[in-house]
Amino acid sequence: MNKRLLAVPALGALLAFGAVGCGDDNSKQLESWAANVCGAAKDPIAQAQTALADTGQVKTGEVPVDLQKRLSADIGRLAKTNQDIAAAIDAAGAPKVDDGGTLQKDTVAELNKAAEGYLDVQKKLDALGNDDRSKFADGLRSISDQLQQLASLSTQAQAKLQRGDLGAAMAKQEGCKPGSAAAAPTSGAPASGASGTPAAGGTDTPAPGATGGPAATQAPSAPAASAPAPSAS
């Protein structure tokens, strides 16, 4: 009887030891997964932040046709970077967390959805007439909300991975640390002046701004009509 009683806590200790061992192994698996994703996504993240920052730039003397080409290139780059980040997550396989397969699948789907949305917006931008500056400015404003929604979708999709043990593992990776890449401005940068008038030497066609945010992609703020919109953090 005594031997049986002694065996119970001994068995408990073995189970506890086994559980600790599994936890350590799982941590290593998560860190390996995060290293694969963040390593592959580092360059796309940097490119996305650079593109978003550029959408808020005011360039002296830039005419509508040049602004249109520049913004189109930025939006095309955002589509590509979302595709590349999705591919990195897809290639890494499912992370070893609860519902890891579903988490991976949903994140990849949302990033690809954002990429498709950016391509649609790029087409709308390319189709805008630029002879009439007032109409061109209205056209830019019409796509600004769509850009913000798409950037938010991309950010929210990646934020799903940045929770719990998986988030802790990703936070250790240089490629996924906030500000590790070419960071966008920390405040909204509409392409019109502070009062909504064109910046000195610039055009009267406001471009979408960009705000600071997570290491992946940030949502651009809407272009100002009469005053710059507050940036979201």
Side-chain angles (χ1 to χ4, degrees), residues 6-67:
L6 289 173
V8 174
L11 177 60
L14 286 173
L15 292 175
F17 179 80
V20 172
C22 290
D24 289 343
D25 183 59
N26 190 55
S27 295
K28 291 178 180 178
Q29 289 177 333
L30 291 181
E31 288 183 9
S32 177
W33 188 92
N36 288 335
V37 170
C38 296
K42 183 177 181 179
D43 287 344
I45 286 172
Q47 292 169 19
Q49 291 181 331
T50 299
L52 282 170
D54 189 61
T55 64
Q57 293 295 317
V58 178
K59 298 197 174 183
T60 302
E62 186 174 46
V63 296
V65 64
D66 291 335
L67 172 60

Side-chain angles (χ1 to χ4, degrees), residues 33-51 77 80-89 158 162 170 172-183 214-218:
W33 188 92
N36 288 335
V37 170
C38 296
K42 183 177 181 179
D43 287 344
I45 286 172
Q47 292 169 19
Q49 291 181 331
T50 299
R77 191 172 297 113
K80 181 64 164 58
T81 54
N82 273 269
Q83 292 171 342
D84 290 344
I85 296 170
I89 296 170
Q158 294 169 73
Q162 299 169 1
M170 294 185 74
K172 297 178 182 179
Q173 304 301 320
E174 192 65 30
C176 288
K177 287 181 180 178
S180 63
T217 56
Q218 302 91 9

Side-chain angles (χ1 to χ4, degrees), residues 30 33 86 89-110 160-161 166:
L30 291 181
W33 188 92
I89 296 170
D90 189 42
K96 301 298 183 180
V97 295
D98 291 341
D99 296 324
T102 300
L103 177 64
Q104 178 205 29
K105 181 179 178 181
D106 289 348
T107 302
V108 169
E110 289 178 14
K160 291 179 180 179
L161 302 177
L166 182 57

Side-chain angles (χ1 to χ4, degrees), residues 39-166:
K42 183 177 181 179
D43 287 344
I45 286 172
Q47 292 169 19
Q49 291 181 331
T50 299
L52 282 170
D54 189 61
T55 64
Q57 293 295 317
V58 178
K59 298 197 174 183
T60 302
E62 186 174 46
V63 296
V65 64
D66 291 335
L67 172 60
Q68 186 175 25
K69 290 178 180 178
R70 178 165 64 87
L71 292 180
S72 179
D74 288 334
I75 294 170
R77 191 172 297 113
L78 288 170
K80 181 64 164 58
T81 54
N82 273 269
Q83 292 171 342
D84 290 344
I85 296 170
I89 296 170
D90 189 42
K96 301 298 183 180
V97 295
D98 291 341
D99 296 324
T102 300
L103 177 64
Q104 178 205 29
K105 181 179 178 181
D106 289 348
T107 302
V108 169
E110 289 178 14
L111 288 171
N112 282 326
K113 181 179 179 181
E116 291 174 3
Y118 277 123
L119 291 175
D120 287 341
V121 172
Q122 184 186 39
K123 291 178 182 178
K124 291 180 181 179
L125 173 62
D126 291 344
L128 292 178
N130 52 48
D131 293 334
D132 187 318
R133 290 191 173 189
S134 178
K135 289 182 179 180
F136 181 55
D138 288 341
L140 289 182
R141 292 188 183 95
S142 72
I143 66 171
S144 178
D145 287 345
Q146 296 176 61
L147 286 178
Q148 186 159 1
Q149 291 169 5
L150 291 169
S152 294
L153 173 62
S154 176
T155 299
Q156 291 167 9
Q158 294 169 73
K160 291 179 180 179
L161 302 177
Q162 299 169 1
R163 300 171 184 167
D165 292 340
L166 182 57

